[in-house]
Amino acid sequence: MASEYIRLRGIGVSPGIALGSVRLAERVVFTSRKEIIPPEEIDKEIDRLRRSFQETKRDIAEIKNQVRDKLGKEHAFIFEAHLLILEDNSLRNEIENLIRKEQVRAEWAISRIHDHYMKVFETLEDEYFRQRRFDLSDVLSKVYRHLQPYAREAKEDDTEKILVAHELLPSEAAIKLGKGNILGVALDMGGQTSHTAILARSLNIPAVVGLRDITKKVKDGDVIIVDGTDGEVIINPPLAIRKEFISKKKKYDDYLRELRKTSKLASETLDGVRFFPLANIELPEEVSLALSLGAEGIGLFRSEFIYLRRTTIPSEEDHYQVYSQIAKKAFPFPVYIRTIDIGGEKNIPQLNIEREPNPALGLRAIRFSLKNRSIFRTQLRAVLKASIQKNVRLLIPMVTEMEEIEEVKWLLNEVKTELTREGVPFDPNLPLGVMIEVPAAATLVDEMIKEVDYVSIGTNDLIQYYLAVDRSNELVAYLYKPLHPSLLRLLKWIITSVQEAEKEVTVCGEMAADPLCALVLLGFGLRHFSMNPIFIPRIKKVLRSVEREYIKEMVEEALKLRTAQEIEEFLLERILVKYPQAFLMREITEGNRL
Ligand code: PEP
Ligand code: MG
């Protein structure tokens, strides 16, 4: 009785498994018909467009309140961003100019402007930045819909369904997923850092995106399985497969329940050594999720993401709003705001950054900030202003030499003097730290630490530079080994040097989120582990399952080995024997990947 079924591979962006029937979301289809209008109708057309903008603004403000009441303030933030896009007259002016210049219907003008911006955003290399085109698309779709009130969306039913769509505009995601009747999400488009992905993760809705053409393969009412853990979708699965997934779902749900329990437990190893799980975030919306998963602070806020929510250069007030929002939500836990890490491959259209032949080694991060002083000063002013909250800390990315620290401190003092003169309050003792990502900074950390309050090791970049392996090049991915003995020696040196100076050291690269690596770091004496929030319960559980003293000795022995593989095998074996409970969940996790 084998029925026709289809398996599709995509990107799992929110783990878990959902089984249910499909609801296909409608989408706005922009017109491809260039309708010319007589000159005397132009003013009327522009009025029509302005009315649409007004109505859209009113709608968004209303939705913002609804979402805030239902899902919380952090999810309503996206609508603030949309209101800002709508209030920025340059977008409307562009459309109006097109209507006048080409004497066309507003629909066509919007469609052209929409296409233009989608193409511009599409050329961006950074996935997250590229994703931001959906905000603009979202706003323009709404304005477009208001031009055609008869084409408004049909009323939706409230039964539990799996939402399948080409792509979900950010506001649609908040409204649709926030209703509480969406079991899972499957999209043609999208990536890890899209709003839908972030929202689905925080609402615990399994989601797979990047499925290319699932909307063409299903119809309303089809039964599908969304496996967000493995990034797979199965359309009309036969009974045997359904059963298999129901049992996988149960296993995953139990595992999650078990893990979540750890968020309430003390962050302490079996022999009472305190550690601090911290979160790496990119959006203020992620703070609540991070705290609910057990984060005891925001170890890394990648502030460059502020640029993505707007098409213009963010003002001091824009920066300030974001920082103070995060600081308030996370209070009394610390929030480490990293100054922008852009330049090179992380290009942003509003900054007109030149393409470089070797972007990873180019004008990025602090190098960019020191060359673009006014942008940097704006950011420093905003961080200082937000520092009255007293839990704000500053973090400088990709430092290479002492002079950069001196320069930052000098600038910081200048900005402080300026603020004092203006009578603006700030924390004069705002703590300052640097990220250790460049090998030269790593070996000089014993000197650098004298000049700063703490360091944070960005292993993602440190590995790429130390092992000379491009972190995003699949061809050399086999060489990207966090357990490479040379790297471990270096990490041990950094951690020990900082601790000898009695200062704080964090690891905020992906290494901190890997159970085995986290244990090695604990062995070196690390206490602060910063990672993507969803990994916190897992790491917390691993660290709680071991004695730090034993791990320390074990790691010392491991350091005598010569290859990453030998080290990994040695560590796994030792831990399996001594702490089988620490690995129970590892086995389950691997089971999930089967
Ligand atoms: C790192 O390099 O480890 C890091 C945390 O920074 P990013 O991943 O943003 O480069
Ligand atoms: Mg980095």
Side-chain angles (χ1 to χ4, degrees):
M1 280 212 310
S3 53
E4 273 298 307
Y5 77 99
I6 307 173
R7 292 183 98 117
L8 298 174
R9 281 245 153 243
I11 311 165
V13 291
S14 179
I17 291 159
L19 187 149
S21 60
V22 166
R23 178 189 305 144
L24 261 172
E26 286 179 31
R27 56 192 276 226
V28 168
V29 181
F30 289 100
T31 184
S32 54
R33 193 167 76 89
K34 184 174 183 179
E35 193 184 334
I36 306 288
I37 52 172
E40 62 276 16
E41 273 190 31
I42 287 180
D43 285 343
K44 222 171 81 199
E45 197 60 15
I46 283 177
D47 277 350
R48 204 174 142 244
L49 178 79
R50 289 187 180 174
R51 231 177 303 120
S52 247
F53 263 80
Q54 279 310 330
E55 285 167 10
T56 308
K57 251 194 259 181
R58 209 187 44 226
D59 268 13
I60 293 185
E62 207 174 287
I63 297 168
K64 186 183 99 183
N65 293 339
Q66 283 173 15
V67 170
R68 189 193 50 216
D69 296 345
K70 267 196 186 158
L71 292 179
K73 229 163 104 191
E74 65 273 23
H75 295 301
F77 185 77
I78 181 72
F79 300 102
E80 307 264 6
H82 288 183
L83 285 173
L84 281 176
I85 296 177
L86 279 168
E87 276 153 17
D88 174 9
N89 284 339
S90 57
L91 179 67
R92 206 194 62 209
N93 287 343
E94 256 185 278
I95 304 171
E96 290 188 13
N97 289 343
L98 202 64
I99 295 176
R100 281 190 216 284
K101 196 167 136 243
E102 300 201 8
Q103 298 186 15
V104 284
R105 278 265 172 256
E107 280 88 340
W108 165 253
I110 291 181
S111 169
R112 278 283 305 280
I113 299 288
H114 180 266
D115 280 2
H116 167 71
Y117 279 111
M118 292 309 107
K119 278 192 194 116
V120 171
F121 274 79
E122 194 57 61
T123 59
L124 302 180
E125 291 210 353
D126 186 283
E127 166 66 11
Y128 190 96
F129 286 78
R130 250 194 341 265
Q131 291 287 333
R132 302 284 59 75
R133 70 191 186 280
F134 295 131
D135 288 315
L136 190 64
S137 179
D138 195 344
V139 169
L140 287 176
S141 302
K142 286 204 166 63
V143 175
Y144 193 95
R145 251 189 208 138
H146 273 288
L147 287 170
Q148 305 177 311
Y150 52 86
R152 297 274 173 84
E153 268 186 302
K155 247 190 133 25
E156 289 181 350
D157 69 84
D158 287 332
T159 53
E160 291 191 328
K161 289 274 159 55
I162 297 210
L163 186 65
V164 179
H166 179 63
E167 67 193 20
L168 274 190
L169 300 171
S171 64
E172 281 178 325
I175 297 164
K176 292 191 159 69
L177 304 195
K179 276 189 168 172
N181 62 338
I182 297 299
L183 302 169
V185 176
L187 304 183
D188 288 344
M189 310 288 284
Q192 277 290 359
T193 48
S194 62
H195 280 288
T196 308
I198 291 166
L199 193 66
R201 278 198 292 274
S202 68
L203 295 174
N204 205 8
I205 299 173
V208 179
V209 303
L211 289 156
R212 290 159 205 262
D213 56 357
I214 183 166
T215 47
K216 298 209 178 81
K217 295 199 159 92
V218 293
K219 53 184 185 316
D220 273 332
D222 275 351
V223 171
I224 65 168
I225 292 171
V226 171
D227 180 347
T229 310
D230 283 351
E232 191 176 27
V233 169
I234 304 169
I235 304 167
N236 292 326
L239 193 60
I241 289 186
R242 283 193 213 187
K243 276 189 178 159
E244 180 197 321
F245 273 83
I246 287 169
S247 111
K248 195 172 167 185
K249 175 173 163 47
K250 188 178 171 313
K251 217 162 135 191
Y252 179 79
D253 290 347
D254 291 348
Y255 162 70
L256 204 66
R257 218 168 299 122
E258 159 93 358
L259 269 190
R260 287 211 177 220
K261 277 191 217 148
T262 64
S263 63
K264 305 266 181 316
L265 304 174
S267 302
E268 252 179 40
T269 61
L270 279 183
D271 51 347
V273 174
R274 175 84 162 95
F275 61 87
F276 299 86
L278 304 167
N280 294 351
I281 63 164
E282 278 130 33
L283 300 167
E285 286 92 326
E286 292 175 285
V287 179
S288 335
L289 169 73
L291 298 183
S292 76
L293 292 172
E296 296 181 43
I298 304 302
L300 176 68
F301 170 56
R302 293 180 163 108
S303 70
E304 57 272 17
F305 288 89
I306 294 177
Y307 280 79
L308 298 162
R309 298 204 142 174
R310 37 189 61 78
T311 48
T312 52
I313 294 176
S315 66
E316 184 179 316
E317 181 62 19
D318 295 332
H319 280 280
Y320 169 74
Q321 286 300 337
V322 174
Y323 305 148
S324 59
Q325 198 187 352
I326 296 176
K328 278 186 194 137
K329 279 189 195 172
F331 192 83
F333 294 123
V335 172
Y336 295 75
I337 298 171
R338 174 175 83 180
T339 59
I340 51 175
D341 182 356
I342 48 178
E345 58 195 343
K346 273 190 198 164
N347 203 348
I348 305 183
Q350 61 263 50
L351 290 177
N352 289 323
I353 300 168
E354 265 182 51
R355 281 216 153 263
E356 296 176 29
N358 204 344
L361 304 181
L363 193 68
R364 60 173 277 206
I366 188 58
R367 304 168 180 188
F368 175 88
S369 293
L370 289 175
K371 275 269 170 351
N372 293 276
R373 296 288 169 107
S374 74
I375 290 178
F376 194 37
R377 289 176 82 100
T378 303
Q379 181 163 36
L380 292 180
R381 279 178 64 97
V383 175
L384 275 164
K385 279 179 163 179
S387 71
I388 46 167
Q389 199 67 40
K390 291 285 177 97
N391 57 341
V392 172
R393 300 178 186 188
L394 192 61
L395 194 54
I396 309 295
M398 231 189 117
V399 164
T400 310
E401 54 173 27
M402 299 297 290
E403 288 88 333
E404 287 166 331
I405 302 181
E406 282 165 26
E407 199 65 22
V408 168
K409 285 170 110 174
W410 185 82
L411 257 173
L412 201 57
N413 274 334
E414 235 190 33
V415 172
K416 283 181 185 174
T417 314
E418 207 173 83
L419 289 175
T420 312
R421 219 175 22 236
E422 292 167 22
V424 178
F426 62 90
D427 175 8
N429 301 316
L430 169 73
L432 171 70
V434 289
M435 284 186 75
I436 303 295
E437 300 177 279
V438 177
T443 43
L444 203 59
V445 74
D446 51 339
E447 289 301 329
M448 287 195 170
I449 195 63
K450 294 180 190 157
E451 299 301 321
V452 293
D453 299 301
Y454 45 84
V455 304
S456 188
I457 311 174
T459 49
N460 303 342
D461 277 315
L462 186 60
I463 297 173
Q464 113 159 320
Y465 296 130
Y466 201 53
L467 302 185
V469 178
D470 181 344
R471 66 192 253 191
S472 48
N473 182 346
E474 280 300 315
L475 294 176
V476 286
Y478 72 99
L479 285 170
Y480 194 96
K481 290 180 182 155
L483 293 177
H484 190 300
S486 299
L487 181 79
L488 294 188
R489 290 181 198 182
L490 186 69
L491 289 170
K492 185 183 171 194
W493 153 255
I494 303 171
I495 295 169
T496 315
S497 305
V498 179
Q499 288 181 335
E500 275 171 8
E502 296 184 353
K503 297 216 173 141
E504 183 192 292
V505 49
T506 304
V507 167
C508 64
E510 297 306 309
M511 247 187 113
D514 177 278
L516 202 56
C517 294
L519 286 180
V520 172
L521 295 167
L522 177 78
F524 290 156
L526 192 80
R527 302 275 177 277
H528 294 78
F529 300 78
S530 196
M531 66 203 84
N532 183 320
I534 56 171
F535 298 121
I536 290 177
R538 188 162 144 219
I539 294 304
K540 193 165 164 180
K541 172 130 202 242
V542 173
L543 297 180
R544 277 175 49 84
S545 312
V546 300
E547 281 129 321
R548 138 86 179 143
E549 268 316 302
Y550 180 82
I551 299 294
K552 187 178 165 205
E553 282 162 28
M554 177 191 79
V555 171
E556 276 308 315
E557 269 188 66
L559 276 183
K560 294 179 193 142
L561 300 168
R562 295 169 315 139
T563 70
Q565 192 179 338
E566 281 168 20
I567 293 177
E568 178 166 354
E569 283 167 6
F570 169 80
L571 294 174
L572 280 174
E573 203 178 300
R574 289 286 288 270
I575 296 189
L576 257 172
V577 172
K578 176 87 177 156
Y579 305 110
Q581 76 281 20
F583 276 83
L584 186 61
M585 110 200 101
R586 191 182 169 90
E587 286 157 11
I588 295 172
T589 323
E590 285 180 355
N592 277 338
R593 274 194 227 114
L594 288 174

